[in-house]
Amino acid sequence: MKPKMDEITMSKENSLHMSSAEFRNTGYAVIDWIADYYEKVDSYPVLSQVKPGDIRSSLPDAPPQNGESMNKIINDVNQLIMPGITHWQSPNFYGYFPCNASGPAILADLLSSGLGINGMLWTTSPACTELETHVLDWLADMLDLPKHFKSTGSGGGVIQDTASSSSLCALIASRERATKGRSNKYGCKNKLTAYASNQSHSSIEKAVIIAGLGKNNMRLIDVDESFAMRSENLKVQIEQDIKDGFTPAYVCATVGTTSSTAFDPLKEIGEICRQYNLWLHVDAAMAGTAALCPEYRYVQEGLEFADSYTFNPHKWMLTNFDCSCLYVADRSELINSLSISPEYLKNQATQSGAVFDYRDWQIPLGRRFRSLKLWSVIRYYGVEGLRKYIRKHVELAQEFASWVEDDDRFQLMAPVPLNLVCFRYSGSNEFNKMILDNLNQSGDLFLTHTKLNEYYTLRICIGQTRTTIEHVDHAWKMIKKTAEKLETRSKN
Amino acid sequence: MKPKMDEITMSKENSLHMSSAEFRNTGYAVIDWIADYYEKVDSYPVLSQVKPGDIRSSLPDAPPQNGESMNKIINDVNQLIMPGITHWQSPNFYGYFPCNASGPAILADLLSSGLGINGMLWTTSPACTELETHVLDWLADMLDLPKHFKSTGSGGGVIQDTASSSSLCALIASRERATKGRSNKYGCKNKLTAYASNQSHSSIEKAVIIAGLGKNNMRLIDVDESFAMRSENLKVQIEQDIKDGFTPAYVCATVGTTSSTAFDPLKEIGEICRQYNLWLHVDAAMAGTAALCPEYRYVQEGLEFADSYTFNPHKWMLTNFDCSCLYVADRSELINSLSISPEYLKNQATQSGAVFDYRDWQIPLGRRFRSLKLWSVIRYYGVEGLRKYIRKHVELAQEFASWVEDDDRFQLMAPVPLNLVCFRYSGSNEFNKMILDNLNQSGDLFLTHTKLNEYYTLRICIGQTRTTIEHVDHAWKMIKKTAEKLETRSKN
């Protein structure tokens, strides 16, 4: 028998802090809250319907002087916060790339919050470091990554918050390589150049800015008709830059672009990087997960040329945000770029050299115990379970794409290799934008858009944990109905 | 009646995913696990006693092909992971700065995991953005920060993962100011200089490296006998640098250094920054929380000169890691430095200009709903509850310091303004290191060290949620006993 919220005595006893009994009772209630939420998540409007300022205006101007009960706080979540939620966990959420969640991830992350450790150094919780190294080695095998990415070789994996941070860390290491260890000491000379396709994620350009290379030293390389980088253009640009006195440092190739899941040709790009001694970083933030299935591993062909690789289990691998995996082929290059050792962090284990201190593999010092949720997901689903689930999403997307193809009023705008369908209605960009806005305002489903060859394009990414054929079928019906309604309206 | 772990049916039914019933039952069990953990946390050795490699060698080489039960995973947490935990939540944890946790934070973070949203843009969950802005305005009032740090003025607050990231964001904004908007575009010329005391946190130097200024362009300014920056030396250094053709850009002043909670003189430093148009960033990562109490607000005197300010509720304000607050006086300077706007993230709310998109206030794109736990802590404790708790820790540290002072064999090595006591035994550095190692190996308590004026110094930071006078008294007895034991042993 679970306790009910209103049966729980919320009195705080003598201590300021929550008693064990109150923690248990309120904890059960929060667990039930989440279970209830998932049972009815598809009944909410997917995109929050509030206007700017609505949420703030419902909150009191000043914090309470005296403590309030958790009951009251949870009631306010229901009343004041929930209207301002865009439901990423809805099976009708098709926007951006997903951030899907699962029971084993939520509960293992709860354990991590309860333990409340900071894994900045091996010694500050050896299990945090060693489980992370171990699970990332598991994942390297599961994805069939090159062996040098494993900690048992020259490399290793680390969990970052996002692919933005992963790509930034790789860029900093590349900066050091390109300047033969001088940029950390003397600063980033503004003649270093970085390369990515014009379809690469905005976080690459942001990393180039943050690391002090300068936006103007970021070269966006043209793409072919599949939106993949033209490697011959990369080569021409690198040679031109060398001629112009620049030092090419970093190439980011994308496995599954955000706009359309295009795949840059890793092998060709990798050979160019070898030739000119550039760091090759591979961003497979969403699509990387597909490599769990042998039949999709072609997406990462040529990965053996990469110096670093990132993909996000928090996107398509059921591991709650945040969890981005960064692998490096030579960990010493990363560590040498990011290590600082003040007296107050010195300890025997670090000085013995026998351990990893993950603070040296990332931007921040402190870190959560995030491998617990990743480990939990891998074990709960098993390799076969994860494959089954990925295949289901790809199958649903292929089904959706076939419906688009069969309808003369719509067209596919890019290849559909995995779980993202880019399509548009035959009409103006403005008309397609109207379709999108109408759909999102309906609350029935949530899509986002991109531009491909200057065409305003709708994107439907199928990656939510509980999305089924019924949801996808409903989405397609709504899309057609909305287009028809707007078409009729525009004719009258 | 709560369900017991062994009563729970762990079968996965037909779906791959965890059923609602299983989530509830396993969830209750995890809640109980945490409550049980806190009931017995002081019975564990505080510092994990495992050797490098112990945890990994207990884990299977390969992930399971087929899914396993949560029961099995949780059993493995108990058997394999717990020996590798250093117990940051133990009342006997006195190392580094604390990362203290509380029931309302753990449970609100669980809600956040359950909602599973990504708050990168206002539109991707308006409540995530607006609650954050609102609660950070509350906090600005609670700490009596200058009004321009509030969102209702020119500034505003944002939650980052750590103070490392907060300080880096501020540095990037300062780079833009110093180069009149040119460094983002053309790269970071290596003539920009940054300043902090030689007692400042290592993350400042790391930020200087990451942002491409170069370690050699970081000036570490001398400190006085209280370990506070000598502002006159700062001025001399800035003038020398200008003379030498450098462009001084950024000063980080520390409110409560990690070594000894020293306070840099903000007013004097601020006046110098104004005179030379430098960005003043104030790092109050741990000590900032003290300003909840009017009697400790003197620590931030002069803060009105700061361009940015950071403190971490995840250190001393009962809000589980990670939660670092960054305030800026002029939000446009931060946003202009970090904003990138690709097509696929464009939306009506952003383009209206009526909302904040917090991706433009930070390094990563994605972000968790972290304000939920901060809001929950503030409401559960109330302003008065938080003050009471801070005062208790300061009182305990003062008591401990008085014991040190009263014992001729020990001496205080730095002023004790708040909750950190720096002290040493009258003997060699090696002897003090032996005391520390022996204490930590005993598992009874955990301390860390620093060096002050070349003396190896023990640090005891009292900031754990449930540390009482009994724990502190026990710590002092153990320290004396260990010193005596080692003294006797060294004489024999």
Side-chain angles (χ1 to χ4, degrees):
Chain A
M1 287 296 296
K2 70 185 182 64
K4 290 220 185 73
M5 201 63 198
D6 52 4
E7 289 169 5
I8 299 168
T9 307
M10 289 293 175
S11 74
K12 294 209 204 168
E13 305 174 16
N14 294 324
S15 162
L16 273 176
H17 302 294
M18 192 180 270
S19 71
S20 195
E22 187 186 344
F23 181 82
R24 288 175 205 266
N25 289 331
T26 315
Y28 306 153
V30 172
I31 290 289
D32 283 333
W33 189 99
I34 295 170
D36 293 345
Y37 174 64
Y38 282 95
E39 285 177 14
K40 67 185 176 205
V41 63
D42 56 3
S43 70
Y44 289 100
V46 191
L47 178 67
S48 170
Q49 309 285 303
V50 302
K51 299 275 170 299
D54 282 356
I55 303 293
R56 279 204 76 170
S57 64
S58 72
L59 300 167
D61 285 342
Q65 284 301 302
N66 298 304
E68 298 177 309
S69 71
M70 278 304 289
N71 203 2
K72 204 169 163 204
I73 297 167
I74 294 170
N75 280 340
D76 280 353
V77 170
N78 294 328
Q79 302 301 315
L80 310 179
I81 301 301
M82 290 308 284
I85 295 298
T86 292
H87 299 276
W88 285 69
Q89 301 310 316
S90 168
N92 301 310
F93 184 98
Y94 304 105
Y96 312 107
F97 278 155
C99 276
N100 62 29
S102 68
I106 294 170
L107 296 177
D109 208 31
L110 171 58
L111 273 178
S112 164
S113 294
L115 284 170
I117 61 104
N118 176 343
M120 59 187 183
L121 302 169
W122 178 89
T123 194
T124 62
S125 271
C128 177
T129 296
E130 295 196 14
L131 186 67
E132 186 162 330
T133 309
H134 198 76
V135 170
L136 268 69
D137 276 356
W138 276 7
L139 256 180
D141 287 338
M142 290 163 67
L143 298 167
D144 198 26
L145 301 184
K147 290 284 165 281
H148 55 241
F149 282 136
K150 290 180 68 176
S151 72
T152 45
S154 55
V158 58
I159 300 177
Q160 308 267 343
D161 55 0
T162 62
S164 307
S165 299
S166 296
S167 300
L168 174 59
C169 288
L171 177 64
I172 292 163
S174 82
R175 218 178 52 184
E176 278 303 277
R177 184 195 285 181
T179 61
K180 301 192 173 59
R182 288 195 310 271
S183 70
N184 273 3
K185 217 164 169 180
Y186 302 109
C188 179
K189 303 269 202 308
N190 64 344
K191 301 293 267 180
L192 294 180
T193 45
Y195 306 79
S197 89
N198 62 24
Q199 298 291 303
S200 68
H201 193 262
S202 58
S203 59
I204 308 304
E205 189 171 320
K206 189 161 173 172
V208 164
I209 291 172
I210 291 167
L213 276 74
K215 200 197 288 209
N216 283 15
N217 297 320
M218 166 99 219
R219 312 290 186 229
L220 296 176
I221 308 297
D222 275 351
V223 294
D224 64 18
E225 61 293 343
S226 76
F227 305 103
M229 189 194 288
R230 290 188 191 274
S231 57
E232 65 279 16
N233 291 21
L234 172 68
K235 188 170 174 165
V236 168
Q237 181 68 53
I238 289 172
E239 287 178 348
Q240 185 62 49
D241 285 331
I242 293 172
K243 214 174 283 173
D244 294 344
F246 291 96
T247 304
Y250 178 82
V251 176
C252 174
T254 310
V255 169
T257 57
T258 305
S259 266
S260 71
T261 46
F263 303 113
D264 289 340
L266 300 187
K267 190 166 171 291
E268 288 87 329
I269 294 172
E271 282 167 349
I272 296 167
C273 289
R274 285 278 164 90
Q275 188 182 345
Y276 297 96
N277 194 27
L278 269 72
W279 185 288
L280 174 58
H281 175 64
V282 174
D283 170 9
M286 203 262 323
T289 298
L292 289 170
C293 305
E295 68 271 30
Y296 304 131
R297 285 193 187 141
Y298 72 89
V299 305
Q300 63 193 24
E301 216 181 315
L303 192 56
E304 62 276 13
F305 288 98
D307 294 289
S308 53
Y309 173 77
T310 188
F311 93 104
N312 298 353
H314 72 227
K315 281 198 160 65
W316 197 20
M317 215 186 99
L318 299 163
T319 310
N320 284 53
F321 190 91
D322 46 7
C323 184
S324 172
C325 296
L326 171 66
Y327 288 92
V328 287
D330 178 355
R331 60 181 173 265
S332 69
E333 288 192 273
L334 182 67
I335 294 170
N336 291 341
S337 301
L338 291 171
S339 177
I340 299 270
S341 191
E343 185 66 31
Y344 48 80
L345 295 179
K346 287 181 180 162
N347 65 87
Q348 288 176 355
T350 298
Q351 277 157 316
S352 75
V355 301
F356 291 168
D357 290 321
Y358 273 130
R359 55 136 193 209
D360 296 330
W361 298 53
Q362 63 175 22
I363 308 296
L365 171 59
R367 60 203 321 271
R368 280 173 69 90
F369 193 172
R370 285 182 288 214
S371 58
L372 217 43
K373 61 186 174 187
L374 185 55
W375 183 54
S376 184
V377 164
I378 294 171
R379 293 190 60 186
Y380 186 83
Y381 287 93
V383 175
E384 282 305 328
L386 291 170
R387 285 176 180 162
K388 199 168 157 188
Y389 139 89
I390 290 293
R391 285 171 182 144
K392 188 74 204 166
H393 282 162
V394 177
E395 191 186 295
L396 291 175
Q398 301 303 321
E399 184 77 12
F400 185 93
S402 75
W403 299 336
V404 172
E405 275 196 305
D406 290 347
D407 191 320
D408 287 345
R409 301 166 299 175
F410 291 89
Q411 64 179 126
L412 292 178
M413 297 299 291
V416 185
L418 297 171
N419 63 333
L420 173 67
V421 184
C422 292
F423 67 106
R424 73 194 304 277
Y425 186 79
S426 55
S428 67
N429 283 355
E430 291 65 36
F431 191 81
N432 276 278
K433 183 172 184 307
M434 271 169 61
I435 296 176
L436 184 87
D437 291 342
N438 268 264
L439 286 166
N440 289 346
Q441 279 155 23
S442 77
D444 277 345
L445 72 166
F446 179 65
L447 301 182
T448 55
H449 78 285
T450 189
K451 274 196 179 156
L452 293 173
N453 297 324
E454 295 308 310
Y455 286 107
Y456 190 98
T457 299
L458 307 180
R459 293 168 75 264
I460 184 163
C461 187
I462 296 170
Q464 249 314 315
T465 310
R466 285 178 179 78
T467 301
T468 64
I469 185 68
E470 287 76 25
H471 296 107
V472 178
D473 182 60
H474 177 68
W476 177 234
K477 289 199 175 104
M478 286 296 299
I479 291 163
K480 286 187 296 185
K481 210 171 107 183
T482 303
E484 286 157 13
K485 188 188 70 185
L486 291 170
E487 192 72 77
T488 310
R489 196 185 295 168
S490 74
K491 282 179 180 148
N492 295 339
Chain B
M1 286 296 295
K2 69 187 181 64
K4 288 216 186 79
M5 200 65 198
D6 52 5
E7 290 169 4
I8 299 169
T9 307
M10 290 292 174
S11 74
K12 295 212 204 165
E13 304 175 18
N14 294 323
S15 162
L16 274 176
H17 302 294
M18 192 180 270
S19 71
S20 196
E22 187 186 344
F23 181 82
R24 287 175 207 266
N25 289 331
T26 316
Y28 305 154
V30 173
I31 290 291
D32 282 333
W33 189 98
I34 296 171
D36 293 345
Y37 174 63
Y38 282 96
E39 284 177 15
K40 67 186 176 203
V41 63
D42 55 4
S43 70
Y44 289 99
V46 190
L47 178 68
S48 170
Q49 310 283 303
V50 302
K51 299 274 169 300
D54 283 356
I55 303 294
R56 279 204 78 169
S57 64
S58 72
L59 300 167
D61 285 342
Q65 284 301 302
N66 298 302
E68 300 177 309
S69 71
M70 278 304 289
N71 203 3
K72 204 169 163 203
I73 298 167
I74 294 170
N75 280 341
D76 281 353
V77 170
N78 293 328
Q79 302 301 316
L80 311 178
I81 302 300
M82 290 308 284
I85 295 297
T86 292
H87 299 275
W88 285 69
Q89 301 310 317
S90 167
N92 301 311
F93 184 97
Y94 303 105
Y96 311 107
F97 278 154
C99 277
N100 62 29
S102 68
I106 293 171
L107 296 177
D109 208 31
L110 171 58
L111 274 177
S112 165
S113 294
L115 284 170
I117 62 104
N118 177 342
M120 59 186 183
L121 302 169
W122 178 88
T123 193
T124 62
S125 271
C128 177
T129 296
E130 295 197 14
L131 186 67
E132 185 162 330
T133 309
H134 198 75
V135 169
L136 268 69
D137 276 355
W138 275 8
L139 255 180
D141 286 338
M142 289 163 68
L143 299 166
D144 199 25
L145 300 184
K147 290 286 166 280
H148 56 241
F149 282 136
K150 290 179 68 176
S151 73
T152 46
S154 55
V158 58
I159 299 178
Q160 308 267 344
D161 55 359
T162 62
S164 306
S165 299
S166 296
S167 299
L168 174 59
C169 289
L171 177 63
I172 291 163
S174 82
R175 218 177 52 182
E176 279 303 278
R177 184 196 283 182
T179 61
K180 300 191 174 61
R182 287 194 309 269
S183 69
N184 273 4
K185 217 163 168 180
Y186 303 110
C188 179
K189 303 270 200 308
N190 65 344
K191 301 293 268 181
L192 293 181
T193 45
Y195 306 80
S197 90
N198 61 25
Q199 298 291 302
S200 68
H201 193 262
S202 57
S203 59
I204 307 304
E205 189 171 319
K206 189 161 174 173
V208 164
I209 291 172
I210 292 166
L213 276 73
K215 201 198 289 212
N216 283 15
N217 297 320
M218 167 99 219
R219 312 290 186 229
L220 296 176
I221 307 297
D222 275 352
V223 294
D224 65 18
E225 62 290 344
S226 77
F227 304 104
M229 189 195 287
R230 290 187 192 275
S231 56
E232 65 279 17
N233 291 21
L234 172 68
K235 190 172 171 159
V236 168
Q237 181 68 53
I238 290 172
E239 288 178 348
Q240 184 62 50
D241 285 330
I242 294 172
K243 214 174 286 173
D244 294 345
F246 291 96
T247 304
Y250 178 82
V251 177
C252 175
T254 311
V255 168
T257 57
T258 305
S259 265
S260 70
T261 47
F263 303 113
D264 289 339
L266 301 187
K267 191 168 170 290
E268 287 88 328
I269 294 171
E271 282 167 350
I272 296 166
C273 289
R274 286 277 164 92
Q275 188 183 343
Y276 297 96
N277 195 26
L278 270 72
W279 185 287
L280 174 57
H281 175 63
V282 174
D283 170 9
M286 204 264 320
T289 298
L292 289 169
C293 306
E295 68 271 30
Y296 304 131
R297 286 194 187 142
Y298 71 89
V299 306
Q300 63 193 25
E301 216 182 315
L303 192 57
E304 61 276 14
F305 288 98
D307 294 289
S308 53
Y309 172 77
T310 188
F311 93 105
N312 297 353
H314 72 226
K315 281 198 160 65
W316 196 19
M317 214 185 99
L318 298 163
T319 310
N320 284 53
F321 190 89
D322 45 8
C323 184
S324 171
C325 296
L326 170 66
Y327 288 93
V328 286
D330 178 354
R331 60 182 173 264
S332 68
E333 289 192 273
L334 182 67
I335 293 169
N336 290 341
S337 302
L338 291 171
S339 178
I340 299 270
S341 191
E343 185 65 30
Y344 47 80
L345 296 179
K346 288 183 181 160
N347 65 88
Q348 288 176 356
T350 297
Q351 277 157 316
S352 76
V355 301
F356 292 169
D357 289 321
Y358 273 130
R359 54 135 194 211
D360 295 332
W361 297 53
Q362 62 177 22
I363 307 296
L365 171 59
R367 59 203 321 270
R368 279 173 69 90
F369 194 172
R370 286 183 287 215
S371 59
L372 217 43
K373 61 186 173 187
L374 185 54
W375 182 54
S376 184
V377 165
I378 293 170
R379 294 190 61 185
Y380 186 82
Y381 287 92
V383 176
E384 281 305 328
L386 291 170
R387 285 176 179 160
K388 199 167 157 187
Y389 139 89
I390 290 293
R391 284 172 181 141
K392 188 75 202 166
H393 283 163
V394 177
E395 193 186 292
L396 290 175
Q398 300 304 319
E399 184 77 13
F400 185 92
S402 75
W403 299 336
V404 173
E405 274 195 306
D406 290 347
D407 191 320
D408 287 346
R409 299 166 300 175
F410 290 89
Q411 63 179 125
L412 293 178
M413 297 300 291
V416 185
L418 296 170
N419 62 333
L420 172 66
V421 185
C422 293
F423 67 106
R424 72 192 305 276
Y425 187 79
S426 55
S428 66
N429 281 355
E430 291 66 33
F431 191 81
N432 276 279
K433 183 172 185 310
M434 272 169 60
I435 296 176
L436 184 88
D437 290 342
N438 268 265
L439 286 167
N440 288 346
Q441 279 155 22
S442 77
D444 277 345
L445 72 166
F446 179 65
L447 301 182
T448 55
H449 79 285
T450 190
K451 273 194 180 157
L452 293 173
N453 297 324
E454 295 308 308
Y455 287 107
Y456 191 97
T457 298
L458 308 180
R459 294 168 75 264
I460 185 162
C461 188
I462 296 170
Q464 250 314 315
T465 310
R466 285 177 178 80
T467 301
T468 64
I469 184 69
E470 287 76 25
H471 297 106
V472 178
D473 181 60
H474 177 68
W476 177 234
K477 287 199 176 105
M478 287 297 299
I479 291 164
K480 285 189 296 185
K481 211 170 106 181
T482 303
E484 285 156 14
K485 187 187 71 186
L486 292 171
E487 191 71 79
T488 309
R489 196 185 297 168
S490 74
K491 280 177 182 149
N492 294 340

